[in-house]
């Protein structure tokens, strides 16, 4: 069976992807991550688990040797608080994609997947909370999220030109806010679903029935459950879709609405305060799924309430058992 290489296999999405490949019967899997093995979110003994800093070119050569298909999930990022305060750090991931593409070309990799982001979309398309769902062509003229978004957009172009100039079969998906169990839920890198789950759980357990919300709570987003991300990622890699494509839910919700859902799961009602000085990102962002529905006959369809229930239950167990939050 062709060797599958998962870059950042010790992270949230990467760990789930390794687990999914094993469930499907893959037996030739290599997971690579820069974190020490003990800090990986999920680790499986039947997999080649390697700790390598892929910002270094020679380590990319080592990682790709013998690999037929590559899933590049590398990104130094987190929620809006992290992205807005660590722009240079976010952009350094460009080294990993660049070195991996060079090594993939030299080692004859058959298929190469790049995980891009909805942060590539032009800011002037996201000024209103009543946002029109973002279509793939809305990334240009370019005005992406500063730092992280620019790195993702540049790396998309690198993938495109390696396909055009060298014949490397690259595929790209623009992830929209992936969430689920085994994800970061505290420490500054967590995204909104995990952060809200944690805050509601802590308010309930402490008896302090109050929650702080970043921004005015009116900003809108869509959130994709991890199972949909895994299915879409693999389908896109093995498809004939050459250009970057949205991979996200089109179920839009305000941050206030997200809190409503988690409060309902927890059977509690909290007093809300709003931190208008906290990072909140764009006012509105949602995925237009017309293209993925047309080309794959499928789009992410896990209801937000259903995914939140599973995520809440997992985070609750972590908190009450005193387990440390996984590193990003």
């Amino acid at each position: 069976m062709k060797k599958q290489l998962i870059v950042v296999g010790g992270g949230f999405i990467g760990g789930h992807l390794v687990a999914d490949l094993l469930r499907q019967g893959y037996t030739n899997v290599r997971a690579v991550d820069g974190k020490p093995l003990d800090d990986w979110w999920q680790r499986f003994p039947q997999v080649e688990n390697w700790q390598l800093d892929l910002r270094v070119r020679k380590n990319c050569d080592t990682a790709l040797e013998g690999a037929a298909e590559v899933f590049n999930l590398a990104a130094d990022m987190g929620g809006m608080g992290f992205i807005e305060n660590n722009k240079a750090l976010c952009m350094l991931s460009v080294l990993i994609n660049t070195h991996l593409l060079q090594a993939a070309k030299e080692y004859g990799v058959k298929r190469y997947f790049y995980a891009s982001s909805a942060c590539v979309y032009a800011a002037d398309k996201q000024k209103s909370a009543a946002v029109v769902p973002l279509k793939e062509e809305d990334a240009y003229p370019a005005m992406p999220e500063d730092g992280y978004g620019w790195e993702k957009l540049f790396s998309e172009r690198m993938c495109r030109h390696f396909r055009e100039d060298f014949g490397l079969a690259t595929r790209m998906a623009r992830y929209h806010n992936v969430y689920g169990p085994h994800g970061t839920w505290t420490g500054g890198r967590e995204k909104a679903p995990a952060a809200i789950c944690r805050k509601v759980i802590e308010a309930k357990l402490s008896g302090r029935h109050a929650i702080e919300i970043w921004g005015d709570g009116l900003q809108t987003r869509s959130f994709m459950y991890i199972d949909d991300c895994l299915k879409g990622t693999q389908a896109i890699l093995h498809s004939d879709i050459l250009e970057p494509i949205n991979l996200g839910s089109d179920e839009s919700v305000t941050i206030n609405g997200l809190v409503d859902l988690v409060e309902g799961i927890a059977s509690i009602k909290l007093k809300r305060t709003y931190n208008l000085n906290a990072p909140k990102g764009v006012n509105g962002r949602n995925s237009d799924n017309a293209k993925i529905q047309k080309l794959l006959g499928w789009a992410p369809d896990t209801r937000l309430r259903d995914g939140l229930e599973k995520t809440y239950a997992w985070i609750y167990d972590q908190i009450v058992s005193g387990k440390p939050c996984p590193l990003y």
Side-chain angles (χ1 to χ4, degrees):
M1 188 175 286
K2 295 182 292 187
K3 184 178 291 294
Q4 310 290 300
L5 173 65
I6 291 68
V7 175
V8 194
F12 165 48
I13 299 175
H16 277 288
L17 179 56
V18 171
D20 192 57
L21 291 171
L22 295 176
R23 282 192 295 269
Q24 295 177 56
Y26 284 84
T27 58
N28 198 357
V29 180
R30 178 182 298 155
V32 177
D33 202 302
K35 297 187 294 291
L37 295 177
D38 288 344
D39 292 335
W40 289 28
W41 296 6
Q42 300 183 72
R43 182 153 48 100
F44 305 91
Q46 64 271 50
V47 169
E48 294 179 0
N49 297 305
W50 294 356
Q51 181 190 358
L52 292 170
D53 182 355
L54 297 182
R55 293 171 298 183
V56 178
R57 170 58 201 273
K58 66 178 182 179
N59 290 339
C60 291
D61 292 338
T62 300
L64 264 72
E65 187 171 4
E69 296 183 340
V70 175
F71 295 88
N72 178 11
L73 308 173
D76 199 342
M77 57 84 67
M80 283 311 306
F82 181 83
I83 289 176
E84 290 194 7
N85 294 304
N86 295 276
K87 294 182 175 68
L89 192 60
C90 290
M91 293 195 76
L92 284 174
S93 295
V94 72
L95 293 173
I96 298 176
N97 189 56
T98 303
H99 293 155
L100 285 173
L101 284 170
Q102 291 175 310
K105 169 180 171 287
E106 293 182 14
Y107 282 89
V109 166
K110 302 301 181 185
R111 296 248 166 179
Y112 183 99
F113 175 86
Y114 178 68
S116 186
S117 166
C119 289
V120 304
Y121 283 113
D124 64 359
K125 299 282 187 179
Q126 305 172 78
K127 291 180 178 179
S128 171
V131 65
V132 175
L134 294 161
K135 298 180 179 180
E136 284 77 2
E137 54 267 29
D138 289 334
Y140 294 94
M143 192 166 51
E145 189 84 45
D146 198 10
Y148 179 70
W150 276 110
E151 186 277 322
K152 288 296 185 184
L153 193 62
F154 175 81
S155 292
E156 284 185 4
R157 303 300 290 190
M158 286 283 289
C159 290
R160 172 180 176 174
H161 295 314
F162 266 71
R163 173 178 58 81
E164 293 174 337
D165 293 357
F166 305 124
L168 178 62
T170 57
R171 300 291 185 266
M172 296 158 279
R174 291 171 179 162
Y175 288 171
H176 288 246
N177 294 316
V178 188
Y179 75 100
H182 294 284
T184 299
W185 48 269
T186 191
R189 288 182 181 257
E190 67 276 18
K191 294 186 178 181
I196 298 300
C197 285
R198 184 200 77 241
K199 289 180 179 182
V200 171
I201 293 166
E202 290 175 342
K204 185 172 183 176
L205 292 176
S206 68
R208 298 190 304 271
H209 291 182
I211 185 171
E212 181 187 82
I213 297 171
W214 286 11
D216 57 13
L218 301 178
Q219 61 270 38
T220 54
R221 295 291 187 276
S222 65
F223 301 98
M224 174 173 56
Y225 190 61
I226 183 63
D227 289 358
D228 288 333
C229 178
L230 301 177
K231 180 175 180 179
T233 293
Q234 293 170 78
I236 291 167
L237 176 66
H238 298 120
S239 75
D240 295 325
I241 302 171
L242 302 182
E243 298 300 322
I245 189 168
N246 281 335
L247 183 56
S249 170
D250 59 4
E251 182 184 350
S252 180
V253 65
T254 64
I255 298 302
N256 279 328
L258 182 63
V259 176
D260 290 339
L261 287 170
V262 179
E263 285 180 337
I265 293 168
S267 299
I268 196 171
K269 197 67 179 175
L270 305 176
K271 179 182 178 181
R272 302 180 186 186
T273 59
Y274 295 89
N275 184 348
L276 301 182
N277 295 317
K280 72 181 187 70
V282 296
N283 288 324
R285 177 181 293 156
N286 192 15
S287 178
D288 185 307
N289 285 348
K291 183 169 286 187
I292 193 171
Q293 187 69 59
K294 177 182 177 181
L295 297 178
L296 292 182
W298 170 87
D301 55 6
T302 300
R303 289 194 320 152
L304 180 58
R305 168 75 188 222
D306 296 338
L308 283 173
E309 287 179 347
K310 298 175 182 177
T311 305
Y312 180 94
W314 183 82
I315 294 175
Y316 183 89
D317 288 343
Q318 306 308 297
I319 291 176
V320 298
S321 64
K323 294 180 181 177
C325 180
L327 298 173
Y328 190 78

PDB file of all heavy atoms in Angstrom, residues 48 63 129 160 191 195 252 283 326:
ATOM      1  N   GLU A  48       4.665   4.986  11.716  1.00  0.00           N
ATOM      2  CA  GLU A  48       5.986   5.583  11.857  1.00  0.00           C
ATOM      3  C   GLU A  48       5.801   6.988  12.421  1.00  0.00           C
ATOM      4  O   GLU A  48       5.312   7.881  11.736  1.00  0.00           O
ATOM      5  CB  GLU A  48       6.694   5.665  10.502  1.00  0.00           C
ATOM      6  CG  GLU A  48       7.030   4.325   9.880  1.00  0.00           C
ATOM      7  CD  GLU A  48       7.708   4.492   8.523  1.00  0.00           C
ATOM      8  OE1 GLU A  48       7.902   5.648   8.073  1.00  0.00           O
ATOM      9  OE2 GLU A  48       8.031   3.480   7.902  1.00  0.00           O
ATOM     10  N   ALA A  63      11.649  13.128   5.637  1.00  0.00           N
ATOM     11  CA  ALA A  63      10.234  12.819   5.844  1.00  0.00           C
ATOM     12  C   ALA A  63       9.577  12.263   4.588  1.00  0.00           C
ATOM     13  O   ALA A  63       8.735  11.364   4.668  1.00  0.00           O
ATOM     14  CB  ALA A  63       9.497  14.074   6.307  1.00  0.00           C
ATOM     15  N   ALA A 129     -21.644  41.548   9.370  1.00  0.00           N
ATOM     16  CA  ALA A 129     -22.014  40.298  10.025  1.00  0.00           C
ATOM     17  C   ALA A 129     -22.992  39.509   9.163  1.00  0.00           C
ATOM     18  O   ALA A 129     -23.028  38.277   9.220  1.00  0.00           O
ATOM     19  CB  ALA A 129     -22.621  40.582  11.399  1.00  0.00           C
ATOM     20  N   ARG A 160       0.217  25.776  -6.791  1.00  0.00           N
ATOM     21  CA  ARG A 160      -0.260  25.901  -8.178  1.00  0.00           C
ATOM     22  C   ARG A 160       0.904  25.869  -9.165  1.00  0.00           C
ATOM     23  O   ARG A 160       0.859  25.157 -10.175  1.00  0.00           O
ATOM     24  CB  ARG A 160      -1.030  27.206  -8.342  1.00  0.00           C
ATOM     25  CG  ARG A 160      -1.403  27.519  -9.785  1.00  0.00           C
ATOM     26  CD  ARG A 160      -2.165  28.823  -9.902  1.00  0.00           C
ATOM     27  NE  ARG A 160      -2.426  29.138 -11.296  1.00  0.00           N
ATOM     28  CZ  ARG A 160      -3.187  30.171 -11.694  1.00  0.00           C
ATOM     29  NH1 ARG A 160      -3.741  30.960 -10.795  1.00  0.00           N
ATOM     30  NH2 ARG A 160      -3.378  30.404 -12.973  1.00  0.00           N
ATOM     31  N   LYS A 191      -9.871  27.885  19.398  1.00  0.00           N
ATOM     32  CA  LYS A 191     -10.836  28.604  18.577  1.00  0.00           C
ATOM     33  C   LYS A 191     -12.163  28.721  19.320  1.00  0.00           C
ATOM     34  O   LYS A 191     -12.358  28.161  20.391  1.00  0.00           O
ATOM     35  CB  LYS A 191     -11.005  27.898  17.235  1.00  0.00           C
ATOM     36  CG  LYS A 191      -9.730  27.936  16.398  1.00  0.00           C
ATOM     37  CD  LYS A 191      -9.942  27.377  15.015  1.00  0.00           C
ATOM     38  CE  LYS A 191      -8.668  27.469  14.198  1.00  0.00           C
ATOM     39  NZ  LYS A 191      -8.849  26.937  12.822  1.00  0.00           N
ATOM     40  N   ALA A 195     -13.297  27.430  23.028  1.00  0.00           N
ATOM     41  CA  ALA A 195     -13.223  28.465  24.056  1.00  0.00           C
ATOM     42  C   ALA A 195     -14.568  28.649  24.749  1.00  0.00           C
ATOM     43  O   ALA A 195     -14.632  28.761  25.982  1.00  0.00           O
ATOM     44  CB  ALA A 195     -12.760  29.787  23.435  1.00  0.00           C
ATOM     45  N   SER A 252     -24.240  29.207   9.174  1.00  0.00           N
ATOM     46  CA  SER A 252     -23.741  30.426   9.803  1.00  0.00           C
ATOM     47  C   SER A 252     -24.358  30.619  11.184  1.00  0.00           C
ATOM     48  O   SER A 252     -25.525  30.299  11.425  1.00  0.00           O
ATOM     49  CB  SER A 252     -24.080  31.636   8.917  1.00  0.00           C
ATOM     50  OG  SER A 252     -23.620  32.834   9.504  1.00  0.00           O
ATOM     51  N   ASN A 283     -15.984  40.774  10.704  1.00  0.00           N
ATOM     52  CA  ASN A 283     -17.361  40.818  11.211  1.00  0.00           C
ATOM     53  C   ASN A 283     -18.190  39.628  10.755  1.00  0.00           C
ATOM     54  O   ASN A 283     -19.111  39.203  11.462  1.00  0.00           O
ATOM     55  CB  ASN A 283     -18.036  42.116  10.782  1.00  0.00           C
ATOM     56  CG  ASN A 283     -17.495  43.328  11.521  1.00  0.00           C
ATOM     57  OD1 ASN A 283     -17.176  43.235  12.700  1.00  0.00           O
ATOM     58  ND2 ASN A 283     -17.370  44.446  10.835  1.00  0.00           N
ATOM     59  N   PRO A 326      -3.896  19.652  25.188  1.00  0.00           N
ATOM     60  CA  PRO A 326      -2.862  19.343  24.213  1.00  0.00           C
ATOM     61  C   PRO A 326      -2.252  20.621  23.624  1.00  0.00           C
ATOM     62  O   PRO A 326      -2.925  21.639  23.466  1.00  0.00           O
ATOM     63  CB  PRO A 326      -3.615  18.577  23.114  1.00  0.00           C
ATOM     64  CG  PRO A 326      -4.905  18.150  23.742  1.00  0.00           C
ATOM     65  CD  PRO A 326      -5.224  19.177  24.779  1.00  0.00           C
TER      66      PRO A 326
END
